[in-house]
Amino acid sequence: NGKYIAQNGRVFGSEVYSDLEATLAAVLLDESIHGDPADIAPNTGKVREPVLRFVHWARAFDVDNVDSDEVTDLNDSSDPAGRLGQHPLKARSVFNFYRPGYVAPNTESGTLGLTTPELQTSNESSAMGYTNFMTQFVFNDIKPRYAKEGTPLFTPDYEGAASLADTPNQMLDRLDLILTANRLTETERNEIEDIITLIPLSGDEEEARLTRVKVAVFLIINTATYGLVQ
């Protein structure tokens, strides 16, 4: 109707059908965007596509020394068994990487009659492919394609989280915020904290701190919570 009323009462638009200001305000100020993620019903949202999971990690840690031409796995990441199962601009049809009306068989969402197109790209093979693909990036083990040695590519900045490695709970608070918007479940947090606490801060303490961060990040990006956008 060409008008959008924000939560604070401000009116956007001229009340003329298809007013662009009202349209943009409706998109950018929708309550679902700015609400507390903890209040969102568990049956809402969608599976986060693997390319977006990779990009989220890269942005969260401000990766440096980026050169995709030198990384074989990024030349074509379409292989679901060993890479992401997706490659930008290489969808097999005009419907992107999945059918828009897809209902996943033998799943809780399918029982509820929910359409979940993104689940069409999710299976046992793609789950392992994503895990293997992300391991080399998270642990900063990406070398130039034509060199056995050299400065690693796609280097993440873990310094902020590493400074909190002495207190795993505080480190997880930070990682939970920037990776999952404070949505990690209690079970996920407890299991991750138990694992990283087993990594001793001995020997090369700086390297030990980084190891704690890398392991925590790797575990978080493989949780169901990280794989869901709400």
Side-chain angles (χ1 to χ4, degrees):
N1 59 10
K3 179 176 72 172
Y4 179 79
I5 303 176
Q7 294 183 55
N8 64 1
R10 179 176 174 180
V11 178
F12 294 85
S14 60
E15 299 190 42
V16 175
Y17 177 74
S18 77
D19 183 282
L20 185 57
E21 179 183 282
T23 301
L24 290 174
V27 172
L28 298 175
L29 302 177
D30 188 87
E31 293 182 15
S32 65
I33 297 176
H34 303 285
D36 185 347
D39 295 334
I40 299 175
N43 63 341
T44 61
K46 70 184 187 71
V47 174
R48 193 199 310 246
E49 297 171 63
V51 165
L52 298 183
R53 281 179 258 164
F54 169 68
V55 172
H56 185 161
W57 165 82
R59 288 177 171 171
F61 299 106
D62 195 22
V63 297
D64 194 16
N65 202 20
V66 174
D67 188 350
S68 58
D69 289 337
E70 286 291 327
V71 182
T72 302
D73 284 357
L74 290 178
N75 292 163
D76 186 353
S77 56
S78 301
D79 178 18
R83 299 180 183 176
L84 289 175
Q86 273 189 320
H87 191 83
L89 306 181
K90 285 192 176 182
R92 295 182 178 179
S93 80
V94 296
F95 297 115
N96 207 344
F97 295 92
Y98 33 70
R99 299 196 309 272
Y102 180 76
V103 177
N106 303 315
T107 63
E108 292 185 24
S109 61
T111 301
L112 295 173
L114 298 175
T115 56
T116 51
E118 300 81 7
L119 281 180
Q120 193 172 359
T121 62
S122 300
N123 52 52
E124 293 86 347
S125 179
S126 66
M128 291 305 300
Y130 164 77
T131 298
N132 292 333
F133 177 90
M134 289 302 301
T135 298
Q136 57 188 335
F137 285 93
V138 171
F139 287 90
N140 194 22
D141 192 29
I142 301 294
K143 298 294 192 301
R145 180 166 42 163
Y146 300 112
K148 295 182 179 179
E149 298 180 355
T151 303
L153 301 175
F154 287 82
T155 303
D157 181 3
Y158 292 140
E159 185 177 343
S163 66
L164 302 171
D166 284 345
T167 50
N169 189 51
Q170 292 183 26
M171 186 180 75
L172 283 178
D173 283 342
R174 179 183 178 87
L175 296 177
D176 188 9
L177 174 63
I178 64 177
L179 290 175
T180 53
N182 289 327
R183 292 186 296 112
L184 280 178
T185 66
E186 183 177 356
T187 298
E188 289 170 339
R189 277 196 61 130
N190 289 341
E191 290 183 350
I192 293 171
E193 185 172 353
D194 288 345
I195 292 171
I196 60 178
T197 302
L198 294 175
I199 301 172
L201 295 177
S202 57
D204 186 338
E205 188 170 326
E206 182 178 353
E207 186 60 32
R209 290 170 180 272
L210 282 174
T211 299
R212 280 192 172 187
V213 176
K214 292 174 183 177
V215 171
V217 170
F218 177 75
L219 293 172
I220 290 174
I221 67 169
N222 281 285
T223 61
T225 299
Y226 182 76
L228 180 67
V229 178
Q230 292 183 311

